Amino acid sequence: MTHILFVGLGLIGGSLASNIKHHHNDVIISAYDYNASQLDKAYSIGIIDHKQSHYEQAVAKADIIFYATPVSQTVTYLKTLPSLETKPGLIVTDTGSTKNSILAFEQELLEHDIHLVGGHPMAGSHKSGILNAKKHLFENAYYMFTYNLDANANAAKRIEHLLQHTLAQFITVNADEHDFVTGVVSHFPHIIAASLVHLNKRYANESQLVPLLAAGGFRDITRIASSNAEMWRDITLENKNHLIKLMKNWQQQMAEATQMLEDTEPEALYQFFEQAKTYRDALPSQKKGAVLSSFDLFVDIPDRPGMISEVTKLLSLHNISISNLRILETREDIYGALRVSFKSPEDRQKGIEALHQFETYLP
């Protein structure tokens, strides 16, 4: 039997443990978490086999360790790992959003017969905690493995085999490429979203219409600014070298856009927007990327009692689950007064088919 230890058992760790537990009969899953209630819940619903209250003792029994903790905390664990009793050939992986600081321990751990493979499952949810864990959370999501030393290649293959039933799409890169790519597609957009919100807040005192109208499309495009502030503080500090370069490039782009406006250059502005549109429209739309996707439909309904219940009733009759329902006051560039959010693209497609029965539905 393979003994697997999860250190940290929130949404990500719990979902991985749930998937492994469901698909593998030859594993024993233990978990250690500073929040004992998370362990109690996970044990009660059968995600783990054993609750561990002593970290060092749990490590000594493990064949594979998943550190599903914040990067800074994982770094602390990795620093002390060589001083602990461990099994020969121990495999260690993590779930953090940056990798250079993690893989900095690769050589040292290998000298102690510990194989380190960085891991980054690029999926999540606006909900947290073990009770929101789902064994299918990573389906069709990218799962990135990182290692810099060839001696850890077999360990990476073993982890990939263990996680094959997640149906994630596995990618192997080195640590620096990982941090650069995720900086471009995930970390930097979070900074921009937060900056846009700060800009909105700055001008909110000048007109009460600013926050009022921001309740529509602006709120949607800055959705990721509502992410956990502590987590994103740590991520940006961990990946600051790449992010500083990206921010300087962004500042240059904004300076160029400013110059276009000052010089009244309509053709240059057209190309600015057209080229962005062309590139964005060509991006894959059916895959989970670095930023959590939402699957929305916009329904135009008449303003009379019972219309919202008609929509939800119709979806319910087709056994379609929704994750959110919102009435839109500001609908610039959006045709529809009701936004229905689904949990998956499959549910969204079912919603399209069901709502064809609703005369005012916009596909």
Side-chain angles (χ1 to χ4, degrees), residues 5 61 64-65 153 167 221 275 299 301 335 339 350 359:
L5 171 65
K61 300 175 184 177
I64 299 174
I65 300 177
L167 301 182
I221 65 174
Q275 290 172 14
V299 184
I301 58 174
Y335 181 73
R339 185 179 72 183
K350 292 177 183 177
E359 290 185 354

Side-chain angles (χ1 to χ4, degrees), residues 323-340:
S323 60
N324 199 7
L325 191 69
R326 184 171 160 218
I327 299 173
L328 302 176
E329 291 83 17
T330 305
R331 298 193 294 276
E332 185 178 10
D333 296 327
I334 294 173
Y335 181 73
L338 186 69
R339 185 179 72 183
V340 186

Side-chain angles (χ1 to χ4, degrees), residues 66 91-93 117 145 155-163:
F66 282 82
I91 296 175
V92 175
T93 188
V117 178
F145 293 125
K157 290 179 181 178
R158 187 174 178 188
I159 297 173
E160 181 176 337
H161 176 75
L162 185 66
L163 299 176

Side-chain angles (χ1 to χ4, degrees), residues 64-351:
I64 299 174
I65 300 177
F66 282 82
Y67 286 105
T69 51
V71 172
S72 58
Q73 191 173 345
T74 301
V75 166
T76 300
Y77 282 125
L78 294 178
K79 283 180 180 178
T80 62
L81 198 55
S83 65
L84 303 180
E85 179 185 349
T86 57
K87 286 186 175 180
L90 170 67
I91 296 175
V92 175
T93 188
D94 76 310
T95 62
S97 297
T98 57
K99 285 292 162 277
N100 271 315
S101 58
I102 298 295
L103 270 294
F105 295 91
E106 188 178 15
Q107 179 62 53
E108 180 186 359
L109 291 176
L110 196 58
E111 292 170 359
H112 290 80
D113 199 15
I114 299 173
H115 297 272
L116 173 62
V117 178
H120 182 191
M122 303 181 78
S125 170
H126 62 286
K127 296 181 179 180
S128 60
I130 189 65
L131 294 182
N132 291 300
K134 299 177 178 64
K135 61 179 178 290
H136 60 271
L137 181 66
F138 310 103
E139 184 174 338
N140 295 320
Y142 289 110
Y143 199 120
M144 302 184 79
F145 293 125
T146 60
Y147 58 90
N148 297 325
L149 303 177
D150 291 340
N152 288 325
N154 287 333
K157 290 179 181 178
R158 187 174 178 188
I159 297 173
E160 181 176 337
H161 176 75
L162 185 66
L163 299 176
Q164 63 180 314
H165 298 290
T166 62
L167 301 182
Q169 299 188 53
F170 300 111
I171 300 175
T172 300
V173 296
N174 63 46
D176 195 59
E177 183 178 8
H178 171 278
D179 287 1
F180 167 70
V181 171
T182 54
V184 172
V185 301
S186 176
H187 306 165
F188 183 64
H190 275 79
I191 294 175
I192 298 304
S195 178
L196 290 173
V197 173
H198 281 293
L199 186 68
N200 186 281
K201 180 182 178 182
R202 180 180 301 174
Y203 291 107
N205 292 330
E206 296 188 17
S207 172
Q208 62 182 1
L209 290 178
V210 170
L212 180 65
L213 300 184
F218 179 85
R219 193 175 190 276
D220 292 335
I221 65 174
T222 58
R223 169 179 52 86
I224 55 178
S226 291
S227 301
N228 182 279
E230 182 179 5
M231 177 182 74
W232 280 100
R233 175 201 64 194
D234 293 345
I235 288 173
T236 51
L237 288 174
E238 288 284 344
N239 205 17
K240 69 176 185 178
N241 291 334
H242 286 303
L243 288 174
I244 289 171
K245 293 179 182 178
L246 290 168
M247 292 176 74
K248 289 180 178 179
N249 183 274
W250 170 266
Q251 290 169 342
Q252 181 181 347
Q253 286 189 32
M254 290 300 95
E256 292 171 356
T258 301
Q259 194 65 49
M260 292 178 205
L261 287 171
E262 291 178 343
D263 296 342
T264 315
E265 298 182 10
E267 180 58 28
L269 286 167
Y270 171 81
Q271 291 300 327
F272 175 77
F273 291 113
E274 177 63 19
Q275 290 172 14
K277 178 183 185 305
T278 299
Y279 179 79
R280 184 191 181 279
D281 289 349
L283 294 175
S285 60
Q286 300 300 320
K287 296 181 181 295
K288 295 181 180 179
V291 177
L292 184 63
S293 300
S294 58
F295 308 102
D296 298 337
L297 283 178
F298 297 93
V299 184
D300 191 33
I301 58 174
D303 185 12
R304 62 174 185 262
M307 286 297 98
I308 295 177
S309 63
E310 287 294 323
V311 172
T312 56
K313 179 181 178 182
L314 190 57
L315 294 172
S316 176
L317 289 174
H318 288 78
N319 295 315
I320 302 170
S321 297
I322 63 175
S323 60
N324 199 7
L325 191 69
R326 184 171 160 218
I327 299 173
L328 302 176
E329 291 83 17
T330 305
R331 298 193 294 276
E332 185 178 10
D333 296 327
I334 294 173
Y335 181 73
L338 186 69
R339 185 179 72 183
V340 186
S341 300
F342 298 87
K343 297 179 179 179
S344 68
E346 293 78 17
D347 283 346
R348 183 183 184 276
Q349 182 59 38
K350 292 177 183 177

Side-chain angles (χ1 to χ4, degrees), residues 6 8-18 68 95 121 123-125 129 133 137-138 143:
F6 278 86
L9 207 64
L11 174 71
I12 299 299
S15 295
L16 288 173
S18 177
T95 62
S125 170
L137 181 66
F138 310 103
Y143 199 120

